[in-house]
Amino acid sequence: MEPEVIQAELVLPNHLSFKKIQMYEKYPKGQSRGRHWKHLKQIIQAENFQNYPPDESNYVNIESPPSMHPCKKICDITGYEAPYSDPRTNLRYASAEVFKTIRSLPNEYVQRYLAQRNAAVVLK
Amino acid sequence: MRTDKFGRSGLVRTEPAGLNRWAGETDPRVIFRNIVQRPRHKTTGETVTIVGDHDPALLKYFDCTRSGPRSAFDSNVVFQFEIMEYILDFGFDRLGADGSQAGQIDHPILITECVCNPVHSRSKMAELLFETYGVPSVVPCLFHVVLKMHLFRAYGVDAAFSYKYNQQRGICDKDGLAICPGFTTTHVIPFIDGEPVYNGCCRTNIGGFHVTDYLKQILSLKYPHHMARFTWEKVEDLKMEHCYITPDYGSEARLFQKATKEAEEKTRCWQLPWVPPPIEALPSEEEIARKAAIKERQGQRLREMAEAKRSSRINELENELHGLEFLLKQLEQVEAEDIPSFLSETGYVSKLEIESAVVKVTQSLRKAKGEPKGEQADIEEKTDPASTEKFPLINVPDNILTAEQLKEKRRQLFLKTTSEGRQRAKQKRQEEELERERRNQEDEIKRLENPELYLEQLQAKYKELSEKVEQRKRLKTNGGHTNGNNVSGGVGRGERLNAAQRERMRLLTTAAFDRGKGEDTFGARDEDWQLYKLMSKDNDDDDDGPDEDEAELGRISSRLQEVDPTFVPKSEAGTSQPTEVPRLRPLTKEDFQIVLGVERFRCPEILFRPNWIGIDQAGLDEMAGVSIRRLPSKNQELEERLTSSIFMTGGSCLFPGISERLEAGIRMIRPCGSPIRVVKALDPILDAWRGASAYAASPHFLTQTFSKMDYYEKGEDWLRRYQFQYTI
């Protein structure tokens, strides 16, 4: 290893004396471990929140409800207020100039703009 | 030295973007981003672990292509405990846990977690800390701490510590709302009597991560050429430096839309490194002269070569002609019955053939000598009346001809029809020319009468015609899809073909389907076979001869050119020009500028309007209302107490203008006249740590911790219900 890397103490040492079980003991080299962790979605599913009284707060029920305010529509390209929307691309736009640009956009870019507000077509 | 500092220390874990640090003092010892990279060392090939941010220059020794930086968090919950272990390793290591007596960290640990952390994450973390980092009964303690303790743990909520810390310093009251926009989530937690009320909490899954990501996406869509410049770190810097929150998004955006002076002042520009391209010096006079001379010389040489070739060809042809004439002369002397034997030597079959060869040679000779073509045409014309003589066999009935003569007759017939066709076409051309001439003359008379009106009319006509022709062309190429500039927009199968092609497709498909139906009678009638003609590909070009409109357009444009010197005919390239121009333009300084205008306040605005990025949840201001609504006891006095002490902490509340905006937003959802006071934490990022640190140092802390024994004996349900008391 290069001296400057060692000097910067960049790399976490393999053996740490304050640990009871070292990393290399827990996960021996060359053994495929597979996936030993759960995503948040799986964790939540396993918690079985539905079995607990609904007035007891948990990770899921503290989420905020959808907004009650009307959603202000903004131009996907410029960020100005958008009174119009293009029926072909579904993009919102603020003025005729922006309309011209969105009509000249390749489909890939249209989808990327839509993806910003989670409105893109997702093929599964 | 460390003893007093670490008297009762706690390791504080914070939000995903947060910092990992030891506690007990006023400022943390170690601050690092809790991300882990596991790159491969390039020379030795071993996989190493790197925690936190380091000098990017040193990373050149590592191959980081296989794995990027990883986080132990999914949203705000720890889910990958292997990565968490690396982070803890690094934290303890950097705090100086040298471990002269192996196998233990003999300290209670204070670790923070998100609101309502799932018990799975909680227990895994407890397990990790108990099992990997130490056991209660080991004697010597690390860090020269005299106290021998079992490993204790306590959980605290980040925001709560920040709240407590600021409460002690008189920033906020014991009743209040804590609003904490973090890295991936934003929480609102009501505090009553200094304790968080979990029933009133609410969480929206939006935070600084989303703001940075949104800015990154917008910029890379706006400047696709500079996409590589927008690294996460750079965009994060841009966000922290330039983003702000407006009191009213609509009016601010209108300022920019109208391009007012204020907007210009608010626009920030990031100039990317750009070197002006070397200006090409115009070639000097001599250079131009030299080049012209070279060109001239080359042209001369070519001309000479062409001349030489021509003369040699003339020579050749003359020789041939002489030979043929000589042959003809000889033929005259030969007896009629000897002709075939005589000719067999020369390669010709009959006298007629020789004569035609003579004609051919003379013609090409004339051509080579460069005599005008008209003359030749005249000759052709002159020969025309004699066509009956030229084709003697045509009028002879078939039955008296031999097989060979029949063949000859057929050939002559063909030649005659073609020459007649040519004749007709020529006549038509002449007529057209005359017609054009006549119309031009008419036009000229009109023009002389009233030049201006005439010009106007002509131009109007030109415009109309050119539009018509254009439209036709478009129809032809685009099959009725007149809105042609969107090449990609949902163009269906039918739209891509023109009418003729569509018809052909229809015929093919019906033909294909008819095959299977009962008795196949195809071909019984003669009309059936017409189908193939219609299907054939050659049928595609439905050009019905030269377009009349086009011809007229050509005439008018040439006429306009004569009359109006400023007139420039619309070329076909005209339509595609605007797209090609920017490509040819040399790159300027402006092409390397990243302009931040609306983006400055558009990106952090998503904290208040999460549905702009597709998260259908309430924004910061509404969350306060939601949180108050969720409180179990409806008490107006309490609600007023809460709103008069709204407290903000967390990294994303550093945006300028957020307090004012939040206050205005909450005022909108609260009853008229309710007291509203919004305060920001003294230090929104580190106050949580300071609060935790102070708490860990108090004697009350030890009564709150639980040990490994508790953990294993009392079970998961107890751990789930376990709640920390914040009041000291």
Side-chain angles (χ1 to χ4, degrees), chain B residues 413-437:
Chain B
L413 205 64
F414 172 73
L415 281 176
K416 191 177 173 219
T417 44
T418 46
S419 71
E420 273 170 4
R422 264 205 299 274
Q423 204 69 27
R424 269 199 300 277
K426 203 167 167 190
Q427 209 168 345
K428 205 175 163 196
R429 261 205 308 278
Q430 265 177 343
E431 272 165 27
E432 268 171 23
E433 201 121 303
L434 279 176
E435 170 73 11
R436 202 179 300 158
E437 198 76 352

Side-chain angles (χ1 to χ4, degrees), chain B residues 107-122:
Chain B
H107 276 278
I109 301 287
L110 173 66
I111 192 158
T112 62
E113 62 178 7
C114 67
V115 182
C116 300
N117 196 14
V119 70
H120 172 264
S121 177
R122 218 179 227 193

Side-chain angles (χ1 to χ4, degrees), chain B residues 175-177 191 628 631 638-646:
Chain B
D175 296 335
L177 277 178
F191 281 78
I628 291 171
L631 283 176
L638 175 70
E639 283 174 15
E640 281 182 5
R641 275 213 306 279
L642 287 176
T643 54
S644 60
S645 164
I646 293 166

Side-chain angles (χ1 to χ4, degrees), chain B residues 34-47:
Chain B
N34 51 12
I35 49 169
V36 175
Q37 283 185 76
R38 305 225 338 115
R40 192 186 287 266
H41 190 253
K42 269 181 187 161
T43 47
T44 59
E46 61 180 308
T47 309

